[in-house]
Amino acid sequence: MEEKNTENFSDENKVVRVKLVRHRWPDEIAARRKKQRQIMGTILACALFFTAGFALSSFVQPGNSGMSASSNKMNTVYEVMKELWYFGKDMDDLENTLLDGAINGLVDSGGDPHTMYMDAELMNRFISNLEGSFEGVGIQYFPTSDRAVITRIIKNSPAEAAGLLAGDAILKINNQSVEGKTSTEIKSMITESESKDVVLVLDRSGEEMDVTLTRAEIENSAYGYVLDQVGILEISSFAETTAHEVGLYLEEFAAQGINKLIIDLRDNTGGYLVSVVDTASYFLPDDTVILKQEDRAGEITEYKTKSNIHNYDFDSIALLVNENTASAAEVLTAALKEQKDVDVIGKLTYGKGTVQQSIPFRDGSAIKYTVAQWLTPKDNKINGVGITPDYDVDLPKALSISYYEDNTVYEVDSVAQNVQSAQYYLQFNGYSVDRTDGYFSEATRQAILAFQRDNDLTETGVIDTELLVRLFSATTYTWFENKTELDTQLVKAMEVVNGR
């Protein structure tokens, strides 16, 4: 967790929740999100408690006898590498490369994956992820071959003000067609034009319409909607703006008389302490312990709900979690699970229960280090353990299995991971396959031929990278078009909150 110093996604980018990897159009956004999650999520952004810290001058002052021998050795090695190392002549920025390497060696030596050195670029991305806002028009979408289909409109955004609707299809942006564009390219078309005005050509139920939007700051760490009289609250991170966003949706639910709630924390890798405390305060009584923090000396600090935040009462609450639910998201899950009648649905959570602080340097880099661990209100440890759901529910395998662009062509009797991936994709899209173990059977070939025929592709009956890309694209489309029926974890949560 990150403890924010109190003194101190575009969803145009975040459009595909399907967790497949190593793909391109229109799926590279999913790979990009998973790569970011691997780099910054479960290792970096799942840190909760971000504090711009203090100087370390007292530890590195010249003349410190405890450091002199080590410092001399370090200085000697540094000078050798900088002045005498043969391959140093081939490096563009040798000094900074050596310095960064030495720092990384120090922080990595302790074996703590959450203590790390971040260069300026990584630090900027980290902070940006926790700000919870971006400049955009306030839409989420996924691209197909010739358009980008809008899946949701973000609250209080230019898109909402202009009356855009989920299901609208973007054909052109600033007079440029989106045909064949990836999600990243479409995002750039919206956010990187010189003018803040964005002109969209939309297809709404067969009718074309032009809409001009003006980019603005969008709060985008939470999203809420109503499904069959159940409030669905998705929290993607605990950023600066999260509690405010959550409050807006809860107020809207209350106005509609919604008394059942599902909080979706899947793939939420953490954020700020103050954010999760404020968010928990909506659901738990005043002065209720949310978490406990144990420092190096064994001192315990309790964090409690705030009295100035309106409390909302629901007849039933369920939480959705998965293996990427970490840190602050686990704090909220544990606090509600231990002190409120809620049900947790999904998969065992990540198990990130340590506390980090950060010290920034003048060049924009920083060192982030673990200072404590946190405990649940009932003194349970989460670090390395995670939270076990009350209902263990898997998503369809097609949403998590990956494929590899290896330029191999697979035919009948082949056995490979890519064959298995294709089989799951075909099955997910309604094609009959007799097996999903990676053996290329005749039934698999017939399913491929049917898919190729239905999608106007050359009927080869083999598996290659082009087919895998198209199968994944179809899987993405099927997921978004039928998410409420195909999301087995959400379906189970709906059953639980409705007492079925």
Side-chain angles (χ1 to χ4, degrees):
M1 287 197 293
E2 293 291 337
E3 183 173 13
K4 184 182 177 186
N5 188 336
T6 55
E7 297 177 354
N8 294 20
F9 269 35
S10 75
D11 275 284
E12 277 88 349
N13 177 31
K14 191 177 87 176
V15 296
V16 178
R17 291 187 58 186
V18 183
K19 299 181 294 179
L20 304 179
V21 297
R22 302 190 185 184
H23 39 76
R24 297 294 185 266
W25 170 90
D27 321 299
E28 66 179 6
I29 190 63
R32 185 167 181 265
R33 288 188 64 216
K34 184 164 186 178
K35 183 178 179 181
Q36 289 174 334
R37 182 164 61 242
Q38 289 171 335
I39 295 173
M40 297 178 64
T42 56
I43 295 181
L44 172 61
C46 69
L48 186 53
F49 303 126
F50 178 66
T51 302
F54 47 84
L56 293 180
S57 58
S58 61
F59 295 100
V60 296
Q61 290 292 338
N64 186 324
S65 60
M67 292 288 289
S68 58
S70 297
S71 296
N72 287 337
K73 184 186 292 185
M74 289 289 291
N75 288 336
T76 299
V77 173
Y78 174 74
E79 290 299 326
V80 167
M81 295 298 292
K82 186 177 74 166
E83 303 294 343
L84 304 177
W85 180 45
Y86 176 79
F87 292 106
K89 63 184 176 61
D90 301 322
M91 305 190 72
D92 293 333
D93 190 2
L94 178 59
E95 290 190 29
N96 281 328
T97 299
L98 293 174
L99 181 60
D100 286 352
I103 294 172
N104 279 314
L106 284 171
V107 298
D108 291 347
S109 63
D112 177 6
H114 306 293
T115 292
M116 61 172 53
Y117 168 72
M118 296 176 284
D119 61 25
E121 180 183 355
L122 190 58
M123 186 65 177
N124 284 335
R125 294 212 317 263
F126 179 51
I127 294 174
S128 177
N129 281 356
L130 290 177
E131 287 176 349
S133 64
F134 66 95
E135 185 178 84
V137 297
I139 58 175
Q140 291 183 7
Y141 55 83
F142 68 91
T144 63
S145 59
D146 64 343
R147 59 190 59 202
V149 180
I150 296 175
T151 59
R152 61 180 51 170
I153 307 298
I154 297 172
K155 197 170 184 60
N156 295 335
S157 68
E160 182 185 54
L164 269 64
L165 303 173
D168 288 346
I170 302 172
L171 304 178
K172 294 182 179 179
I173 300 171
N174 293 334
N175 206 35
Q176 184 179 359
S177 173
V178 302
E179 183 174 357
K181 300 292 186 183
T182 66
S183 295
T184 301
E185 290 169 338
I186 293 171
K187 172 181 177 289
S188 297
M189 293 167 68
I190 294 173
T191 61
E192 295 181 6
S193 60
E194 291 185 8
S195 171
K196 284 198 171 188
D197 289 339
V198 180
V199 181
L200 304 179
V201 177
L202 301 175
D203 179 345
R204 178 178 291 175
S205 302
E207 297 290 330
E208 284 195 14
M209 54 189 290
D210 293 351
V211 178
T212 300
L213 307 174
T214 301
R215 292 200 307 265
E217 282 296 311
I218 308 296
E219 294 183 348
N220 184 40
S221 62
Y223 181 77
Y225 62 98
V226 175
L227 175 64
D228 296 336
Q229 293 302 301
V230 176
I232 313 294
L233 180 62
E234 298 178 358
I235 305 176
S236 59
S237 66
F238 287 95
E240 291 179 345
T241 59
T242 303
H244 175 251
E245 295 175 63
V246 168
L248 292 176
Y249 288 114
L250 292 176
E251 183 178 358
E252 188 175 281
F253 293 161
Q256 297 180 53
I258 301 300
N259 57 17
K260 299 171 185 176
L261 180 69
I262 295 172
I263 304 174
D264 190 346
L265 299 173
R266 291 175 293 182
D267 298 325
N268 182 324
T269 56
Y272 288 136
L273 169 63
V274 65
S275 179
V276 73
V277 168
D278 288 351
T279 301
S281 298
Y282 288 119
F283 306 105
L284 294 169
D286 293 351
D287 204 38
T288 300
V289 174
I290 298 171
L291 77 155
K292 300 176 182 179
Q293 180 177 318
E294 181 184 54
D295 65 18
R296 183 171 176 172
E299 296 293 326
I300 300 292
T301 302
E302 294 184 341
Y303 291 87
K304 299 182 178 181
T305 52
K306 296 181 179 179
S307 59
N308 62 341
I309 294 179
H310 181 71
N311 192 257
Y312 290 88
D313 192 27
F314 293 89
D315 292 344
S316 56
I317 297 178
L319 287 86
L320 288 171
V321 300
N322 65 6
E323 62 277 5
N324 297 312
T325 301
S327 197
E330 291 175 295
V331 167
L332 181 61
T333 301
L336 295 182
K337 181 178 173 65
E338 291 187 351
Q339 301 177 111
K340 201 172 180 69
D341 185 17
V342 304
D343 291 288
V344 180
I345 295 145
K347 304 302 293 181
L348 177 69
T349 64
Y350 179 76
K352 163 62 170 63
T354 55
V355 181
Q356 280 70 44
Q357 290 185 350
S358 297
I359 301 173
F361 301 111
R362 291 180 180 178
D363 63 357
S365 63
I367 180 173
K368 179 172 67 67
Y369 62 102
T370 300
V371 295
Q373 72 169 324
W374 62 266
L375 309 171
T376 72
K378 293 186 176 179
D379 295 321
N380 292 312
K381 292 183 179 181
I382 295 299
N383 199 51
V385 178
I387 298 171
T388 301
D390 299 301
Y391 298 89
D392 189 294
V393 181
D394 290 306
L395 287 175
K397 183 70 172 178
L399 303 180
S400 60
I401 195 167
S402 62
Y403 69 85
Y404 304 94
E405 296 183 8
D406 58 5
N407 298 317
T408 301
V409 177
Y410 301 95
E411 299 180 347
V412 171
D413 289 334
S414 300
V415 179
Q417 169 67 51
N418 276 350
V419 175
Q420 183 181 47
S421 298
Q423 290 169 333
Y424 275 113
Y425 299 156
L426 287 163
Q427 184 183 68
F428 186 79
N429 286 283
Y431 293 90
S432 179
V433 293
D434 62 338
R435 59 201 303 158
T436 54
D437 59 359
Y439 171 74
F440 198 143
S441 62
E442 176 59 27
T444 299
R445 190 178 79 88
Q446 292 300 323
I448 291 169
L449 288 170
F451 176 82
Q452 291 173 328
R453 189 162 48 248
D454 291 344
N455 290 274
D456 296 323
L457 302 174
T458 303
E459 295 179 37
T460 63
V462 301
I463 297 172
D464 55 17
T465 296
E466 180 184 359
L467 178 72
L468 288 165
V469 169
R470 293 300 295 266
L471 282 170
F472 182 84
S473 178
T475 298
T476 303
Y477 185 86
T478 299
W479 170 252
F480 276 115
E481 287 293 294
N482 305 279
K483 186 172 182 295
T484 56
E485 293 82 24
L486 295 174
D487 188 341
T488 49
Q489 294 169 344
L490 177 61
V491 169
K492 182 62 179 180
M494 292 288 289
E495 293 176 357
V496 169
V497 296
N498 285 307
R500 295 199 296 267

